[in-house]
Amino acid sequence: MKKARLRQGIEIDPTKPPQRLAPHAYALEAAVVDGDEDLADGRLILLHDPAGHDAWQGTFRLVTLVRAELEPEMAVDPLLPEVCWSWLTGALDARGLTYGEASGTVTMAASHYFGGLGERRPATQIEIRASWTPREGVGGVPDTAAHLSAWCELLCQIAGLPPVGPTETVTGVVSLPQRRGPHHPQG
C-alpha cells in the first residue's frame, strides 16, 4: 500500500486496525483537504486471513467507510445512492482491478439543530460503508497499492472533486459540486 501514487490533496496516515476481524489487519485514515478545510474523510482496512473466509471467498478483504457533507438539496436526489456506489465500482474497474463479493450501504443523514445549537444551519452527510474481496495477484497477494488508489478516487469523488483515471483525467463524467466537508458538530 505504501507504493500507491495518491492524488494531490489527500492526507493519509496509518491508524490502529481492528483486532478481531482477521488474524492480520492494516488500517489507514485519509482526508481530502482544501487548505484548512476537510472535504471528505474515510478509513480503509485491509484484512488477511491465510486460512480464507467463506463470506469473503478469499484470504483478503478490504473494508471502508467514507463520508462527506452534502448541500441539503443534493440529498433529495433519488439516484444519489446508486451514483455513489458506482464511484466505488467505477474506480476499481478503471484500474482493471478484479474483485468479488462487493457489498455495502450508502446512507444519507440530515441534521437539524435546536435550542443552544439552533443557530447552526442544517447539515446533510453522505456515508458509504463497503467491503470487497480483492482477487489475488502475483504470489497470491492482491495489488493493494492499486486498490488504495481506487479507494482514494472514491474519497475524492464523494468530496466533490472531478474523477481521474489511473494516469489521466477522465472526460465526459459529471461530478457533484464541491461540498463543505465532513460535519463535525461542536458541542
Side-chain angles (χ1 to χ4, degrees):
M1 288 184 132
K2 293 178 182 178
K3 294 181 181 181
R5 290 181 23 197
L6 303 181
R7 190 169 164 173
Q8 200 170 15
I10 297 177
E11 294 180 356
I12 195 162
D13 290 304
T15 189
K16 184 177 178 181
Q19 301 297 307
R20 297 181 186 185
L21 298 178
H24 307 281
Y26 182 74
L28 298 168
E29 289 182 339
V32 178
V33 296
D34 182 21
D36 291 337
E37 187 175 20
D38 283 2
L39 302 177
D41 61 37
R43 183 175 177 157
L44 181 67
I45 305 166
L46 174 63
L47 303 172
H48 176 56
D49 186 342
H53 196 288
D54 289 340
W56 301 353
Q57 296 294 304
T59 59
F60 289 91
R61 188 77 172 164
L62 285 158
V63 180
T64 189
L65 162 69
V66 297
R67 62 183 170 236
E69 192 171 328
L70 287 175
E71 295 298 329
E73 58 274 7
M74 295 293 297
V76 298
D77 185 341
L79 297 177
L80 187 60
E82 287 81 8
V83 169
C84 290
W85 184 258
S86 74
W87 290 338
L88 170 62
T89 58
L92 294 168
D93 294 343
R95 284 157 181 77
L97 296 170
T98 55
Y99 59 95
E101 314 315 313
S103 61
T105 61
V106 176
T107 305
M108 293 176 288
S111 298
H112 299 270
Y113 300 96
F114 301 94
L117 301 175
E119 292 184 21
R120 292 186 186 177
R121 46 182 279 207
T124 305
Q125 189 175 64
I126 189 152
E127 178 180 277
I128 301 171
R129 292 179 182 264
S131 62
W132 65 97
T133 299
R135 296 297 177 218
E136 284 83 9
V138 179
V141 178
D143 185 350
T144 55
H147 280 273
L148 174 58
S149 294
W151 177 76
C152 286
E153 183 59 29
L154 167 66
L155 195 60
C156 287
Q157 286 191 276
I158 201 170
L161 302 180
V164 298
T167 58
E168 60 187 75
T169 302
V170 176
T171 58
V173 178
V174 177
S175 63
L176 293 177
Q178 195 169 3
R179 290 171 289 287
R180 296 183 303 270
H183 181 64
H184 299 287
Q186 299 171 358

